[in-house]
Amino acid sequence: MSIKPASGNQIKSWKKLSMSKYRKRMNRFLAEGERCVEQILENRKIMVESVLLLDDSTDTGRFRHDEVPAYTLSAHDFGLITDTQSPQGVAAVCVIPDESAAGQLAGTGGLIAAMDAIQDPGNLGTMIRTASWFGATGILLGEGTADPFHPKVVRSTAGATGILPYRKGPLSKELAELEKAGYRTCLLDGGEDAISIKQVKPHQKTVLVVGNEANGISSSLFTNGRIPVRIDGHEEYVESLNAAIALSIGLWHFAG
Amino acid sequence: MSIKPASGNQIKSWKKLSMSKYRKRMNRFLAEGERCVEQILENRKIMVESVLLLDDSTDTGRFRHDEVPAYTLSAHDFGLITDTQSPQGVAAVCVIPDESAAGQLAGTGGLIAAMDAIQDPGNLGTMIRTASWFGATGILLGEGTADPFHPKVVRSTAGATGILPYRKGPLSKELAELEKAGYRTCLLDGGEDAISIKQVKPHQKTVLVVGNEANGISSSLFTNGRIPVRIDGHEEYVESLNAAIALSIGLWHFAG
């Protein structure tokens, strides 16, 4: 497919993808970095609209696909569209995949990761990467959670963006839907009533909830029948595990 | 203990702690953030020289200890000494704890986490936090690894800085020392020769090595008798796990 210099208008529109408002309006997001772009192209789960390359880059073959036009940008223009301090000179403009409809995640019948107000983009991206690695069947993004198509989140997924079906919505409602469909809800929590995760056997239909980095899981989600689970550790010296670490250990445990 | 306004000279010297050269020269580092400072004060594993507070902060009681003088700073001066975009108005000047002597880590007889060129400060801090949580008995920081007393690393440990004995040095030499003392070395690796970590039983004297974010473990460390271990996942869509996630799952597995 063709490779040609990007136009001023294109650069202007790609630059806007750093802002949530424009990502929604244009239904596009930006993936940055060699590994990330290469993996997204390989996965063929996300529609890539354009590949962007530094105009003096060599060895660009792995970022060129027959169906995807490539554009070259000067180092200055590349700096305008990315928020990385030292951009690697490779990016892709991608189409935001559709959210799953209500009730659709329940139909996957597997392990679902649910994020309750995960604010740090790096944490969220790492969680999506790990959930994809361990074969989760869906992702629930509760209120207060970062935008999964924010450039920093996308970079942290290392190309795992778009692999899993996802849905945004209030967890109170979404968890109830899953439970109606036979799902068991486990809440990652360090509280006194939590039981050691090692005592909870893996089970097909499990949704594992991880809470906000500073405040944990919202108290309104602790309702009857849900299982608060704990990852035991040396609480005398460390207050808690990092949220992405806790979720990942939980996913590893439940993935069997 | 007293609380008084910081002097210009103090602010000038604390500001330098963002630079590795001055941390070494002054043998001090800066811990930032409420949770981090509170935990460090509570742990009493690190000598805290001074607590720094925003001069209009209320509720500072938990950051005041009898033995530690506190100083107040204006918002402007606080901004000068921290590298956080929105500093929480609490920091501590701490004494860098001594490194363990050669051979000393082997004497701990437990699980040791070894980092081979971990460059991302957030990753390194998270690894130290998780190793402390799971009761590792020491940390080895191989060449090319970030400075554990860099402000970003310290912040990511969430107060776990200083809990575990640590040693910096070339891993080739340090691992050989541990092996002489009866340690088994496991290398976290996705290569074809690696065996599933689930097949490797926990064992008292284990050193678990994690490699650089982009390049993995240095090839020179793959010598006879060492065990390359793998955390199985969906490699068709995701290239690898994040390094901190991989180490954490390994530590959880080996901590039993």
Side-chain angles (χ1 to χ4, degrees):
Chain A
M1 192 86 179
S2 69
I3 177 160
K4 55 184 174 187
S7 74
N9 276 340
Q10 283 177 314
I11 290 165
K12 225 162 103 182
S13 85
W14 296 332
K15 192 175 165 241
K16 289 182 179 164
L17 294 177
S18 65
M19 285 175 284
S20 164
K21 181 171 80 173
Y22 290 102
R23 285 196 295 276
K24 260 184 212 140
R25 194 176 294 174
M26 298 159 65
N27 199 37
R28 298 287 181 279
F29 71 96
L30 199 73
E32 296 169 38
E34 295 190 7
R35 195 156 73 152
C36 191
V37 171
E38 199 174 16
Q39 188 78 49
I40 283 179
L41 284 167
E42 230 180 87
N43 287 344
R44 296 180 173 267
K45 292 270 187 177
I46 291 260
M47 194 188 292
V48 180
E49 190 179 69
S50 320
V51 166
L52 319 185
L53 299 165
L54 253 187
D55 58 11
D56 59 353
S57 23
T58 51
D59 181 30
T60 60
R62 24 190 202 135
F63 308 113
R64 306 280 307 282
H65 274 232
D66 285 350
E67 313 90 44
V68 186
Y71 297 93
T72 54
L73 288 83
S74 68
H76 172 262
D77 289 341
F78 220 99
L80 287 179
I81 64 158
T82 68
D83 72 345
T84 326
Q85 290 202 326
S86 40
Q88 292 176 306
V90 182
V93 181
C94 309
V95 178
I96 294 182
D98 290 339
E99 250 185 81
S100 297
Q104 222 176 323
L105 284 189
T108 66
L111 180 59
I112 290 172
M115 287 73 159
D116 183 22
I118 293 298
Q119 294 181 320
D120 181 82
N123 267 345
L124 180 59
T126 302
M127 289 175 182
I128 293 172
R129 176 177 176 181
T130 312
S132 307
W133 180 262
F134 287 129
T137 60
I139 292 174
L140 265 180
L141 302 158
E143 289 172 315
T145 296
D147 175 5
F149 301 104
H150 184 291
K152 278 189 191 156
V153 178
V154 173
R155 210 164 44 235
S156 301
T157 70
T161 296
I163 290 170
L164 299 181
Y166 73 102
R167 185 166 163 78
K168 298 178 192 177
L171 289 190
S172 50
K173 189 166 157 281
E174 299 295 334
L175 293 176
E177 285 267 0
L178 287 169
E179 286 158 357
K180 255 190 274 171
Y183 264 79
R184 172 183 74 171
T185 299
C186 292
L187 308 164
L188 279 165
D189 177 60
E192 283 182 15
D193 296 333
I195 60 171
S196 170
I197 196 169
K198 289 185 179 165
Q199 291 175 30
V200 184
K201 289 231 172 79
H203 173 300
Q204 271 297 85
K205 296 182 170 183
T206 296
V207 51
L208 181 60
V209 187
V210 62
N212 173 266
E213 289 91 343
N215 306 314
I217 294 177
S218 315
S219 55
S220 63
L221 295 179
F222 288 83
T223 59
N224 273 344
R226 294 184 179 155
I227 314 168
V229 293
R230 169 168 48 76
I231 297 168
D232 290 310
H234 287 245
E235 284 170 51
E236 66 273 31
Y237 294 132
V238 193
E239 198 207 337
S240 63
L241 284 173
N242 162 286
I245 299 291
L247 179 72
S248 301
I249 289 174
L251 289 170
W252 149 267
H253 174 73
F254 284 122
Chain B
M1 194 86 179
S2 67
I3 176 161
K4 55 184 174 187
S7 73
N9 276 340
Q10 283 177 312
I11 291 165
K12 225 162 103 182
S13 84
W14 296 332
K15 191 174 166 241
K16 290 183 181 162
L17 293 177
S18 64
M19 286 174 281
S20 166
K21 180 171 80 171
Y22 289 102
R23 285 196 293 277
K24 259 184 214 140
R25 194 175 296 174
M26 296 159 66
N27 199 37
R28 298 287 182 280
F29 70 97
L30 198 72
E32 296 170 37
E34 294 191 8
R35 196 156 71 153
C36 191
V37 171
E38 199 174 15
Q39 189 77 50
I40 283 178
L41 284 168
E42 230 179 88
N43 287 345
R44 296 179 173 267
K45 291 269 186 176
I46 291 260
M47 195 188 291
V48 180
E49 190 179 69
S50 318
V51 166
L52 319 185
L53 299 165
L54 254 186
D55 56 10
D56 59 354
S57 26
T58 50
D59 181 29
T60 59
R62 24 189 202 132
F63 308 113
R64 306 281 306 283
H65 273 231
D66 283 350
E67 312 90 46
V68 186
Y71 297 92
T72 55
L73 287 82
S74 68
H76 171 263
D77 289 340
F78 220 99
L80 287 179
I81 63 159
T82 68
D83 72 345
T84 326
Q85 289 201 327
S86 39
Q88 294 177 307
V90 181
V93 180
C94 309
V95 178
I96 294 182
D98 289 340
E99 251 186 81
S100 296
Q104 222 175 328
L105 285 188
T108 66
L111 181 59
I112 290 173
M115 287 72 160
D116 182 22
I118 293 298
Q119 294 180 322
D120 181 82
N123 267 346
L124 180 59
T126 302
M127 290 175 181
I128 294 172
R129 177 176 176 181
T130 311
S132 306
W133 180 263
F134 286 129
T137 59
I139 293 174
L140 265 181
L141 302 158
E143 288 171 315
T145 296
D147 175 6
F149 301 104
H150 183 291
K152 278 189 191 156
V153 178
V154 173
R155 209 161 48 234
S156 301
T157 70
T161 296
I163 290 171
L164 300 181
Y166 73 101
R167 185 166 164 78
K168 299 179 190 175
L171 289 189
S172 50
K173 188 166 158 281
E174 298 294 335
L175 293 176
E177 285 266 359
L178 287 169
E179 286 157 356
K180 255 189 272 168
Y183 264 80
R184 173 183 73 173
T185 299
C186 291
L187 308 164
L188 279 165
D189 177 59
E192 283 182 15
D193 296 334
I195 59 171
S196 169
I197 196 169
K198 287 184 179 168
Q199 292 174 29
V200 184
K201 290 232 173 78
H203 172 300
Q204 272 298 82
K205 295 182 171 185
T206 297
V207 51
L208 181 60
V209 187
V210 62
N212 173 269
E213 289 91 343
N215 306 315
I217 293 176
S218 316
S219 55
S220 62
L221 295 179
F222 288 83
T223 59
N224 274 344
R226 293 184 180 157
I227 313 169
V229 293
R230 166 167 53 72
I231 297 169
D232 289 310
H234 287 246
E235 284 171 51
E236 66 274 31
Y237 294 132
V238 193
E239 199 207 336
S240 63
L241 284 172
N242 161 285
I245 300 290
L247 178 72
S248 300
I249 289 174
L251 290 170
W252 149 266
H253 174 72
F254 285 122

